[in-house]
Amino acid sequence: MQGWRVMLAVKSQRARGAEQKYPIKLFYTSNMPIILQTAFVSNLYFMSQMFYNQAPNSPFVKLFGDWSPSTLETGAVTNTVPVGGLAYY
């Protein structure tokens, strides 16, 4: 499944009837890397917020993520957003 080859027929506009086959290699990629990356980022967010709530002043914890409360126009705090660390990027 990793190396599919498709022969593409290329016709010349200058010479009538001249046709040449051009091989194209197709690379199949599954969606598993996307699923793994999403799971990794989700776990990073979760663990970073959990560590930040326990020790917000620790430099080691801030390496994973520095979080700030997000407020609405009314002044109500809705959730926290990353403002630094790995979780921000």
Side-chain angles (χ1 to χ4, degrees), residues 8-59:
L8 181 66
V10 180
K11 294 183 180 181
S12 175
Q13 290 181 349
R14 295 182 190 158
R16 282 196 170 175
E19 185 176 307
Q20 188 176 11
K21 302 255 189 223
Y22 184 72
I24 296 177
K25 286 186 178 180
L26 299 176
F27 184 73
Y28 172 77
T29 305
S30 72
N31 58 356
M32 187 57 74
I34 306 299
I35 294 170
L36 292 175
Q37 188 268 345
T38 304
F40 174 75
V41 171
S42 178
N43 288 336
L44 176 69
Y45 265 52
F46 175 73
M47 298 298 282
S48 175
Q49 281 183 332
M50 189 174 67
F51 290 148
Y52 188 79
N53 287 335
Q54 294 295 321
N57 295 324
S58 171

Side-chain angles (χ1 to χ4, degrees), residues 52-87:
Y52 188 79
N53 287 335
Q54 294 295 321
N57 295 324
S58 171
F60 179 71
V61 171
K62 287 190 177 192
L63 178 71
F64 286 109
D66 193 9
W67 296 84
S68 175
S70 174
T71 58
L72 296 174
E73 293 176 2
T74 61
V77 175
T78 58
N79 57 353
T80 57
V81 293
V83 293
L86 288 175

